[in-house]
Amino acid sequence: MENPNKKQILLFYCVESEHLARKAAAQSDYIQLQSINWRSFDDGFPNLFINNAHHIRGQHVAFLASFSSPAVIFEQISVIYALPRLFVASFKLVLPFFPTGSSERMEEEGDVATAFTLARILSYIPISRGGPTSLVIYDIHALQERFYFGDHVLPFFETGIPLLKQRLHQLPDVDNISVAFPDDGAWKRFYKQLQHFPMVVCTKVREGDKRIVRLKEGNPEGRHVVIVDDLVQSGGTLIECQMTLLFIVITANFSQKVLAAHGATKVSAYVTHGVFPKHSWERFTHENSKEGSEKTFTYFWITDSCPQTVKAIADKAPFEVLSLAESIADALQI
C-alpha cells in the first residue's frame, strides 16, 4: 500500500554524482532516476538535452549536483535553471558540498568572497509551479553563509554527523572514544551534536610565521580520539592536531616546549567533505606511512559528498566512506 505522505520524486543528476544518485534511489521506491545528455559542441561549450522533458510536467523534480571544479559548474547551472521552467510541481536542488564555503571572508579591499557569489547565483534559480527551489547542503563551512542566500530559494542545511555517530557506536572501543575539534570553528559547528562524548578542543596559535595547533581544553590521555571537522584540503591541520593529541606539549614559564606525556592511544578523523586537491589524500594512506608512525590514523571517515575523492580512495586504508544516500533520500521528501 502506498504511503499517502510520500511523493514520487524524479531525480536528475550530473555525471559525477551518478553513483550517489543510484544509491539514493535504491533507498526508496519513491525515487525514479532520470537522465540528461551531457554533450558538448566542438568549441567545448555545453550542448545539453533533458530527456523526457514533456513527461516531467506536474511532477516533483530534484537534481543532484557536484560542483567539484569550475569547469563543471556552468553546465549544471544551465540544467538547474531549466528544470523548474518545465512546469514541474516543485524543484529541489541537492548540492552536498558547497565548494566555495571557505572563501567567505573579505579581509582587505580587493578580496572577492566567492561563497557569496555562488550563493547569489543559486538564489536566482527560477521559481517552479510549487514555489521557490529547496536547496539542500551538507555541513556548510561557515554558519553565517546560510544568510547569503536570497528569498527565491529555501536553503535546507543538513549534516553528516549522524553517520559518524552510527559508525562510532559500531566500534568495540566506543566507551573509550573522545571527540576532538581542531579549532573553535569546528567546535561551534558540531559540539551540540556530539555532547555525549568527552570532548577535546584544540586551537591554532601563531609562533613567528607559523600557525601551530595546541591543546586548549580536555584530556586525550589513554583515549581513542576522533578529530571532527567539516572538510579537509591538504590535511595539514588534521596532522598537527593529531600530533598534539598523541603527544601533549606544555610550556613552562614561557620556556622551551617539552614533551610532557603520551596522550591519546590512537587517533582517527572524520570530515564530511574530503576535498583533497592534488591527491593530498595520499599522505594519509597506510601504505605511505611507516609502521608505527605517528602520522597513521586508525580510521579516516569521509562522506561521498565529493565523488572524485571517493573514487580515488576506494579500498585504501584508513579511509572509509559513510554514504549520504539515505539522508538524501529522506531530504527529498521534506
Side-chain angles (χ1 to χ4, degrees):
M1 182 176 179
E2 290 193 0
N3 187 335
N5 297 319
K6 292 216 171 188
K7 52 185 181 287
Q8 291 288 337
I9 306 292
L10 303 184
L11 179 60
F12 292 88
Y13 51 88
C14 68
V15 174
E16 284 184 10
S17 295
E18 180 176 359
H19 184 66
L20 180 54
R22 293 191 180 281
K23 290 184 72 173
Q27 301 291 323
S28 172
D29 293 334
Y30 294 91
I31 299 176
Q32 297 179 13
L33 295 182
Q34 305 294 306
S35 63
I36 295 169
N37 291 341
W38 299 95
R39 305 168 304 193
S40 297
F41 292 108
D42 291 340
D43 60 4
F45 277 87
N47 176 19
L48 309 170
F49 185 80
I50 299 170
N51 295 310
N52 299 318
H54 290 286
H55 294 90
I56 70 174
R57 292 179 179 178
Q59 303 294 316
H60 298 286
V61 173
F63 182 79
L64 178 57
S66 176
F67 291 177
S68 59
S69 75
V72 299
I73 292 179
F74 177 64
E75 62 181 19
Q76 291 181 70
I77 288 291
S78 299
V79 169
I80 290 165
Y81 273 45
L83 284 170
R85 294 178 178 275
L86 294 176
F87 299 96
V88 301
S90 69
F91 181 64
K92 183 167 291 185
L93 171 62
V94 181
L95 178 63
F97 175 47
F98 187 72
T100 56
S102 58
S103 301
E104 86 284 4
R105 294 189 184 94
M106 293 181 63
E107 296 181 347
E108 61 177 315
E109 193 70 27
D111 283 340
V112 178
T114 52
F116 182 65
T117 303
L118 183 57
R120 291 181 69 183
I121 291 172
L122 295 176
S123 296
Y124 284 99
I125 298 172
I127 294 175
S128 69
R129 286 176 57 190
T133 293
S134 299
L135 173 59
V136 181
I137 296 175
Y138 284 81
D139 289 320
I140 199 164
H141 181 67
L143 297 178
Q144 70 268 19
E145 289 172 6
R146 64 185 59 210
F147 304 110
Y148 290 0
F149 297 91
D151 294 337
H152 290 101
V153 293
L154 300 174
F156 179 68
F157 298 100
E158 266 288 7
T159 178
I161 294 298
L163 300 174
L164 171 64
K165 291 166 66 175
Q166 183 181 34
R167 184 67 182 96
L168 293 182
H169 282 288
Q170 295 170 351
L171 299 180
D173 61 350
V174 62
D175 294 329
N176 193 46
I177 288 177
S178 293
V179 170
F181 304 104
D183 52 39
D184 288 333
W187 176 81
K188 289 177 182 178
R189 279 189 291 271
F190 298 125
Y191 83 94
K192 287 186 179 180
Q193 301 174 68
L194 295 164
Q195 289 184 92
H196 58 291
F197 289 103
M199 293 187 183
V200 176
V201 182
C202 296
T203 187
K204 295 176 183 176
V205 297
R206 204 172 270 285
E207 289 191 358
D209 295 332
K210 296 182 179 180
R211 296 188 71 186
I212 300 174
V213 176
R214 289 286 176 261
L215 188 66
K216 181 180 178 182
E217 60 183 79
N219 183 11
E221 189 170 358
R223 308 285 291 180
H224 177 187
V225 181
V226 180
I227 305 171
V228 177
D229 209 348
D230 63 317
L231 63 85
V232 59
Q233 297 270 1
S234 67
T237 297
L238 287 179
I239 289 176
E240 284 198 35
C241 186
Q242 179 198 35
M243 294 292 290
T244 301
L245 296 168
L246 286 169
F247 300 101
I248 303 172
V249 179
I250 64 171
T251 302
N253 299 322
F254 303 100
S255 63
Q256 184 178 5
K257 296 180 210 62
V258 295
L259 213 54
H262 285 282
T265 55
K266 54 185 177 181
V267 178
S268 297
Y270 165 86
V271 295
T272 303
H273 311 297
V275 185
F276 291 120
K278 299 180 180 179
H279 302 281
S280 55
W281 55 266
E282 292 177 349
R283 68 195 301 190
F284 294 99
T285 60
H286 285 176
E287 61 188 27
N288 287 337
S289 301
K290 295 179 181 178
E291 187 174 353
S293 168
E294 66 276 356
K295 292 186 179 180
T296 301
F297 282 81
T298 304
Y299 299 97
F300 200 131
W301 294 291
I302 65 173
T303 75
D304 42 8
S305 67
C306 299
Q308 290 182 321
T309 299
V310 171
K311 186 177 180 180
I313 58 93
D315 301 320
K316 291 181 173 64
F319 291 104
E320 288 186 11
V321 178
L322 308 179
S323 182
L324 295 172
E326 184 176 358
S327 178
I328 289 173
D330 291 340
L332 292 178
Q333 291 295 334
I334 295 174

